[in-house]
Every structure is written in structure tokens, then in C-alpha cells.
Amino acid sequence: MNRVRKTFSRRARVATGGAVLAVVALAGFGAVSANASAPATTSAAATSAAAPARATTTSTHLTIDAAGRAAQAALDAAEKENQRVTVAVVDRNGNTIVTLRGDGAGPQSYESAERKAFTAVAWNAPTSQLAERLEQAPNLKDIPGTLFLAGAVPVTAGNAPIAGIGVAGAPSGALDEKFARAGAEAVAR
């Protein structure tokens, strides 16, 4: 058997050796990084597991099913009175859970319903009451995402707000709020 021995130039040997060293160095760095992060993760887990109960909270949230029932009940109440509205249900943090835009509802009603719902849950009060507070504190209206017009009510559990139902599009805030209350009553059933 005849062996053929190839010789590489000095330049090729240096380049190949450099590449091999780079791969070995990166592999070693990755192993050290992985090992260095493992104890930190374990320590964080141990710390969080040892946290006293008074350092944590539990919150109650409206389910998607309940939010859907509430929005539909509010929309149905409005339709019975031939009103074209949009209904929004937001969670405790003001995030929209569901929005139903009724047939013929105005384009402005979508955002208005969401902002009213957010305002009601943020202050745990119907927006009709909050609109009255603007006389004493007119700067409240400058808070981003709020709308101090009648038409929304909070949904509570144990006196804590867990959601807001906002309605917009009826000719008056009193009607909007009436429909929002119908939605809240649907959750209570």
C-alpha cells in the first residue's frame, strides 16, 4: 500500500491551528458560562421558594368566558333599546379581554369603550362618579388611557376591582352606563 503524504504550507498549518484553538476556546467559554449560570438559577429558585407568604400576593381575574358573557349582555341590553354601541371588558391591569362592536356603532366608540373600562377598573368606581370628581381635580383627565365620561363600571371580587366594563356610542353616558351595569350583572349571576 502506497501512502501519499501531503505537506501543507506553513501558512495553512498556522491558519488551521488558529481555527482549532478558536473552536476549543469558544467551547470552553460556553461550558464555563453554562456552569457559572447554573448556581445563580439554583440560588434564585431557592430564594423564591423560601420567600415568606406575606411577600407574595394572589389576584383574582375574570375568565374569558365571563368577560364574553358580560360584553354580550351589555350589547344585548343596548340592542333592546335600539342603541348602536361598542362594549369593552378589560382586566385588572387595563388589558382588553374582549371587545364587541355592535352593528352600526360609530368608529370613535371602540377606543372610548376601552378607555372608559380602564378608567372604571383603575379607580374602582363607575365613570359617572369619576367624571364628577374632575371638578375638584381637573388634572385627572390628563392621565394616559383614561376617559372620564359616564359609561363604565368596575367588576369586583371581595371589594377589589378585577375588571372594567365600558360602553360607548349611546346618545348619553347614562345609557352607556346602564348597559355596562347589565354586563356586570351578567358576571354576578
Side-chain angles (χ1 to χ4, degrees):
M1 181 177 250
N2 215 0
R3 287 189 183 179
V4 176
R5 185 171 178 200
K6 289 188 179 182
T7 58
F8 292 102
S9 70
R10 182 178 175 133
R11 177 185 259 171
R13 287 190 307 241
V14 169
T16 303
V20 170
L21 283 174
V23 169
V24 170
L26 286 174
F29 177 74
V32 171
S33 300
N35 287 335
S37 66
T41 304
T42 305
S43 297
T47 303
S48 66
R54 66 183 176 277
T56 63
T57 62
T58 302
S59 60
T60 302
H61 297 274
L62 201 60
T63 65
I64 186 72
D65 183 51
R69 283 195 322 267
Q72 190 62 57
L75 189 61
D76 290 346
E79 287 176 351
K80 283 181 186 173
E81 296 190 29
N82 295 318
Q83 298 301 315
R84 298 176 181 136
V85 301
T86 297
V87 180
V89 180
V90 301
D91 67 11
R92 173 62 185 110
N93 299 319
N95 299 311
T96 303
I97 301 171
V98 65
T99 303
L100 295 179
R101 185 169 178 223
D103 293 335
Q108 77 289 352
S109 65
Y110 190 91
E111 183 179 350
S112 296
E114 287 183 336
R115 290 177 59 194
K116 286 180 182 183
F118 171 77
T119 305
V121 74
W123 274 273
N124 193 23
T127 52
S128 59
Q129 290 176 9
L130 297 171
E132 293 170 4
R133 292 184 195 174
L134 285 179
E135 293 173 14
Q136 291 82 28
N139 291 344
L140 282 178
K141 69 180 179 332
D142 297 334
I143 297 172
T146 59
L147 186 59
F148 290 88
L149 296 175
V153 296
V155 176
T156 60
N159 295 325
I162 61 168
I165 302 172
V167 178
S172 74
L175 278 174
D176 285 339
E177 196 162 305
K178 175 183 174 182
F179 306 142
R181 287 188 190 285
E185 290 169 6
V187 173
R189 288 185 226 143

